[in-house]
Amino acid sequence: MKRIKSILLFAVMLIALPMQASEGEKEGGGLDIPEIVLEHLADAYEWHVTSYEGHHLSIPLPIIVRSSASGEWAFCTAHNLPEPFFFDSEHHGKIYERMPDGSATRPIDLSVTKTVCQIWIVVLLLAAIFLGCARWYKKRDCKSDAPRGFVGAVEMLVMTIHDDLIKSCIGEKYYKPYAPYLLTVFFFILTTNMVGLLPIFPGGANVTGNINITLFLALCTMLAINIFANAHYWKEILWPEVPGPLKLLMIPIEIFGVFTKPFALMIRLFANMMAGHAVILSFTCVIFLGWSMGVAYGIGLNLFSAVMLLFMNCLEVLVAFVQAYVFTLLSAVFIGLAHVDHHAE
């Protein structure tokens, strides 16, 4: 029990330690919790690991931008960003270029940001996991015993998503072409959510809390639904089987529904994951807020924050799985609705 308490205390301190830098930078001022939370949720051009006594430990990431004025490419890091490029605080620290007329414009930015680096880490992790499982199966045949341990857990999860979710929602006749995509989406979201809960490198990035990532995943599902849908699906959208006057009302609604389905997928995943990270960061800030109000407040708020941090991190582990499952489930349901056979009476 003492070991568990020590681990939990160490985890809380790892989460809270990077906050000291943000607090120390505000000389003579109070703790700006919204600014700290938004700063940690936003993407960045370097990976901030921790801070101690005013010293920052960060991993520089490559910045690749193209000047809109000269057309030349610049390769650098956040510590040696050349002129006329600068970090615009009004646009969440994104790189902007100062033009000769004094205006600021957004250049072509192909930088490897914190979110991009986190995605690469997740891809390497998934490749290692599934290549290792494939190597285990390669050495065995159909007469071998069922896998145990980690390989058995991966097989159980894969078969649960494949059989109980994908096959049942899309239908046994049409599910096979979509199974690889939906399994990839599930494990990508699940792994990024779990890695994002780690308080230090190589975790902590808010990947699925970035609306650009959820937008891309939703667009992939939208293309899978509408490009490969059967004729009956489009007939129900463009010419539904309702009385004539109602067609004028139903057709715009059905066309609008083509775009609202992926929009709902995008917002659901983005909002839930961003909210979870924001709540955890807010309770972490309460620790420093309590000490700034006095010892008595500090002890009381520390105990309250530690309990809530433990509860929220456990809840986020559940949410990480639930959101991956729900995104895959809804994608499979929408794809299945695009392949419903028309049975004439």
Side-chain angles (χ1 to χ4, degrees):
M1 189 66 183
K2 292 182 177 179
R3 182 176 298 178
I4 295 176
K5 292 180 179 178
S6 300
I7 294 174
L8 294 176
L9 179 61
F10 179 66
V12 171
M13 292 306 297
L14 283 177
I15 297 173
L17 196 58
M19 298 295 181
Q20 293 178 347
S22 301
E23 182 183 13
E25 290 171 358
K26 297 180 69 61
E27 299 179 357
L31 187 65
D32 192 347
I33 294 180
E35 181 181 351
I36 293 174
V37 172
L38 292 176
E39 177 185 353
H40 282 263
L41 290 177
D43 202 0
Y45 292 95
E46 60 181 5
W47 200 308
H48 183 263
V49 179
T50 187
S51 299
Y52 183 71
E53 295 182 353
H55 299 285
H56 303 279
L57 176 60
S58 301
I59 300 175
L61 300 175
I63 293 177
I64 307 171
V65 290
R66 183 181 183 273
S67 173
S68 301
S70 63
E72 297 180 354
W73 289 90
F75 300 87
C76 59
T77 63
H79 300 288
N80 56 358
L81 186 66
E83 293 289 343
F85 302 105
F86 66 96
F87 296 106
D88 191 349
S89 59
E90 296 182 357
H91 295 86
H92 307 290
K94 295 297 183 181
I95 294 178
Y96 274 72
E97 180 183 1
R98 187 75 64 188
M99 303 301 289
D101 59 358
S103 62
T105 185
R106 184 89 164 97
I108 298 177
D109 191 352
L110 302 180
S111 304
V112 179
T113 61
K114 183 179 179 180
T115 299
V116 175
C117 187
Q118 182 77 92
I119 291 175
W120 289 358
I121 293 173
V122 169
V123 169
L124 293 176
L125 180 60
L126 287 175
I129 291 173
F130 287 104
L131 288 177
C133 294
R135 190 178 298 110
W136 187 94
Y137 284 104
K138 187 177 181 181
K139 297 178 181 179
R140 290 163 177 78
D141 54 26
C142 59
K143 298 181 180 180
S144 302
D145 294 335
R148 299 179 180 179
F150 181 75
V151 177
V154 173
E155 178 183 329
M156 178 192 68
L157 192 56
V158 170
M159 297 310 297
T160 299
I161 301 301
H162 182 273
D163 295 342
D164 298 339
L165 192 153
I166 299 174
K167 184 187 293 187
S168 61
C169 291
I170 299 179
E172 192 168 353
K173 183 178 179 181
Y174 299 106
Y175 82 93
K176 289 185 178 180
Y178 301 100
Y181 164 69
L182 293 173
L183 284 170
T184 302
V185 167
F186 173 80
F187 281 101
F188 173 78
I189 296 176
L190 177 62
T191 307
T192 51
N193 291 347
M194 297 297 292
V195 173
L197 294 177
L198 298 176
I200 58 174
F201 182 85
N206 187 31
V207 176
T208 48
N210 188 323
I211 198 168
N212 296 310
I213 305 300
T214 59
L215 172 62
F216 176 77
L217 294 175
L219 284 177
C220 290
T221 298
M222 179 180 177
L223 293 177
I225 295 171
N226 296 286
I227 292 179
F228 305 104
N230 58 19
H232 180 67
Y233 168 79
W234 287 110
K235 180 181 180 298
E236 289 294 324
I237 293 177
L238 301 178
W239 198 253
E241 296 181 357
V242 294
L246 287 180
K247 293 183 186 295
L248 299 177
L249 176 63
M250 292 300 299
I251 292 176
I253 294 177
E254 292 291 342
I255 294 176
F256 186 68
V258 172
F259 301 96
T260 56
K261 292 175 184 176
F263 180 79
L265 288 175
M266 175 187 69
I267 296 299
R268 180 189 298 273
L269 179 59
F270 161 72
N272 282 280
M273 298 313 302
M274 185 188 69
H277 281 268
V279 171
I280 291 176
L281 290 169
S282 299
F283 280 119
T284 305
C285 292
V286 170
I287 296 176
F288 299 98
L289 180 63
W291 286 114
S292 65
M293 299 169 62
V295 177
Y297 283 105
I299 295 175
L301 289 178
N302 273 8
L303 294 175
F304 171 75
S305 298
V307 172
M308 293 305 299
L309 278 173
L310 176 61
F311 171 74
M312 285 304 303
N313 276 279
C314 293
L315 182 62
E316 279 297 294
V317 172
L318 176 62
V319 172
F321 175 82
V322 169
Q323 290 304 315
Y325 187 90
V326 169
F327 190 97
T328 309
L329 173 65
L330 292 178
S331 297
V333 169
F334 295 153
I335 292 173
L337 292 175
H339 291 278
V340 175
D341 292 326
H342 178 63
H343 300 284
E345 294 183 359

